[in-house]
Amino acid sequence: MEHSPVSTRAYGSMLIGREGQVVAVLRDGKVALLKLDGDSYDLPQGVRRWAVAWDDLSIHEPM
């Protein structure tokens, strides 16, 4: 999580390994807005959407 916005990096250890969907492309295509899977009470600060740099993502094909 070294390329993502500071607000995302602060919760990086809690976000790593989670799955979700890209719902928007931000900052001239450098950042993806992710909608994380799971219940909001299980997510950091109850936030479901996070801005993450493309370089910090591990992208897999949908099953």
Side-chain angles (χ1 to χ4, degrees):
M1 286 275 168
E2 60 189 62
H3 304 286
S4 294
V6 174
S7 57
T8 301
R9 283 186 274 158
Y11 295 98
S13 63
M14 292 184 254
L15 296 172
I16 292 174
R18 295 195 179 265
E19 295 183 6
Q21 297 176 338
V22 174
V23 294
V25 178
L26 309 171
R27 297 186 186 170
D28 295 325
K30 296 178 183 176
V31 175
L33 182 64
L34 301 179
K35 179 181 175 189
L36 298 179
D37 296 340
D39 296 319
S40 60
Y41 64 83
D42 191 35
L43 299 171
Q45 299 293 313
V47 176
R48 182 172 303 282
R49 295 184 183 214
W50 291 86
V52 179
W54 287 104
D55 291 340
D56 291 336
L57 293 176
S58 176
I59 299 176
H60 301 279
E61 292 294 320
M63 296 180 148

